[in-house]
Amino acid sequence: TERVFGGFRKTSERLSNNLTGVVGTAKLDDATLDDVEDALIVSDLGPAAARRIRDRLAEKRFGLAISEQELREAVAEEIAAILRPVAKPLEIVAFPRPQVILVIGVNGSGKTTTIAKLAHWLQEDDYGVMLAAGDTFRAAAIGQLATWAERIGAPIVRGPEGGDPASIVFDGVKAATEQGIDALIVDTAGRLQNKRELMDELAKIRRVLGRLNAEAPHDVVLVLDATNGQNALNQIETFMEVAGVTGLIMTKLDGTARGGVLVAAAEQFGLPIHAIGVGEKLEDLRPFDPDLVARVIA
Ligand code: GDP
C-alpha cells in the first residue's frame, strides 16, 4: 500500500489541490460540477473520463449536501468504476508452453526495466522465464537486457546487433520449448519514428511465431511512460495500429504528477492494465489495484 501510495504521491497532490475549494455552496450544484470536471481535466484524466465522472456525480447527488471530503470519496469511487473493468493481471495460461509475451513501446519508456521486473515477478510465482533480445536495432539494448537476465538468473536468447529479430524470436521459442520454459518475454525495437519499418518488423515476428504456434504471441504488452501525459495516449493509438496491443503497463508513476493519464487511458481505450511501475528497482512493479489507485489519486 505504501509503495503504491508513494508511487502516486505527486498525482494525488495535484488532483487534491485541484479539488480543494471546489465545493462552493454546501450543495452539489452546476458550478461545483464544472469545477470538478475542470480539476479532473487539468489533472490529466482527460475530457472523456472527466465528463463521465461529472455525469455520474450529478446523477447520484445533484442538489444534495456534500462536503469536500465526501466529494473526494465520490470522485474516487467513480475513478475506481472506470479502472475496475480494465484491471487484469497477466496470467500464464498458454498451452502448450511457452506463453510468448511481446513487449513493445518507445525507447526510454522503461521497456527493458519492465521486462526484467515482469520476469522477476513471474519467477517469484515459480514460473520458468526466458528473455529474447529482439531489440537488435539499438547497440545498448541487447547488453542491457543481458545484464538484467544475469541479475535475475534467467536464460536469454540473443543475436548480433543489427540481426533479424524474427530469427531471435524463432530461436527463443525453440529453446524455451526444449527447456520447458513457461514464459518467453520478447524485447522489441521501439522506433516509432520509423513506423513503416517497425510495423514490418513486428509483422515478421508475428509470422514466424505463428508458424510455431498459432496462438503466439499470446500477449502484446505496451509499456508507457506516465510522465508523457497525454502523449502516452497517442502512443497507445499508434501502437494499436502498428502492433495490435493486448494490454498495458504504465511506468514511472513515481515522481510524476501525471498519473491521471492512467484513468484517461482506461476510459479511452478499455485495454487491460496489467501492472504499474513505481520505481527503478526489480520490486517496483506493482499489481494494478483499481480501488487502491483510485483512493490514492483522489
Ligand atoms: P527502454 O529504453 O524503454 O528500454 O527504457 P529503460 O528500461 O532503459 O528505462 C529508461 C529509464 O527509466 C531507466 O533509467 C530506468 O531505470 C527508468 N525507469 C523504468 N521504469 C521506471 C519506473 O517505474 N520509475 C522510475 N522512476 N524510473 C523508471
Side-chain angles (χ1 to χ4, degrees):
T1 305
E2 186 46 40
R3 267 232 162 78
V4 173
F5 186 79
F8 279 96
R9 194 174 42 77
K10 288 191 183 158
T11 300
S12 162
E13 277 168 14
R14 172 124 167 261
L15 181 57
S16 201
N17 288 340
N18 290 336
L19 284 176
T20 297
V22 299
V23 181
T25 64
K27 279 194 207 147
L28 190 63
D29 55 14
D30 277 317
T32 303
L33 286 168
D34 284 345
D35 287 349
V36 171
E37 191 175 342
D38 294 350
L40 295 171
I41 291 171
V42 299
S43 303
D44 277 308
L45 280 81
R51 184 77 210 180
R52 178 191 292 271
I53 292 168
R54 179 212 169 99
D55 290 348
R56 300 274 296 154
L57 291 175
E59 244 171 67
K60 291 183 182 169
R61 296 173 181 252
F62 192 81
L64 301 179
I66 193 162
S67 68
E68 195 164 293
Q69 181 54 28
E70 286 165 337
L71 178 71
R72 285 180 203 285
E73 282 164 21
V75 168
E77 175 47 37
E78 299 311 333
I79 291 175
I82 292 172
L83 297 180
R84 272 181 215 126
V86 300
K88 292 197 187 86
L90 195 70
E91 285 173 350
I92 303 303
V93 291
F95 185 84
R97 299 285 211 242
Q99 182 153 325
V100 181
I101 304 167
L102 279 192
V103 182
I104 60 176
V106 301
N107 296 333
S109 60
K111 190 157 44 76
T112 312
T113 315
T114 301
I115 288 171
K117 289 171 172 173
L118 186 60
H120 174 70
W121 182 341
L122 293 173
Q123 287 174 325
E124 300 258 285
D125 278 345
D126 282 334
Y127 289 113
V129 182
M130 181 181 280
L131 308 183
D135 180 358
T136 60
F137 194 73
R138 279 190 301 172
I142 300 170
Q144 205 190 332
L145 194 70
T147 304
W148 276 116
E150 195 171 326
R151 264 188 66 188
I152 62 174
I156 178 169
V157 173
R158 55 188 284 186
E161 188 193 332
D164 180 5
S167 98
I168 288 156
V169 174
F170 180 82
D171 292 346
V173 174
K174 268 181 43 188
T177 305
E178 280 162 19
Q179 295 174 39
I181 294 283
D182 298 298
L184 178 71
I185 308 181
V186 181
D187 190 15
T188 63
R191 310 177 273 147
L192 209 50
Q193 319 83 297
N194 202 331
K195 233 166 91 173
R196 186 74 247 169
E197 273 182 34
L198 181 60
M199 202 186 262
D200 290 346
E201 184 169 309
L202 293 169
K204 186 171 176 193
I205 291 175
R206 276 180 181 280
R207 274 202 311 277
V208 168
L209 276 173
R211 296 236 168 78
L212 295 166
N213 178 341
E215 312 268 301
H218 303 79
D219 307 281
V220 182
V221 177
L222 173 60
V223 175
L224 294 167
D225 176 346
T227 62
N228 285 330
Q230 297 303 300
N231 196 32
L233 303 176
N234 300 335
Q235 286 175 17
I236 299 177
E237 217 160 7
T238 309
F239 273 105
M240 283 173 83
E241 189 189 307
V242 170
V245 177
T246 62
L248 307 174
I249 294 179
M250 194 168 279
T251 64
K252 308 192 196 179
L253 284 159
D254 54 312
T256 180
R258 316 202 71 176
V261 74
L262 197 61
V263 184
E267 171 71 29
Q268 200 174 324
F269 300 101
L271 284 166
I273 298 174
H274 296 311
I276 54 176
V278 294
E280 297 185 272
K281 294 198 291 295
L282 273 179
E283 304 72 40
D284 293 335
L285 189 69
R286 303 275 113 202
F288 178 58
D289 178 335
D291 290 275
L292 185 57
V293 167
R295 248 183 296 131
V296 169
I297 292 182

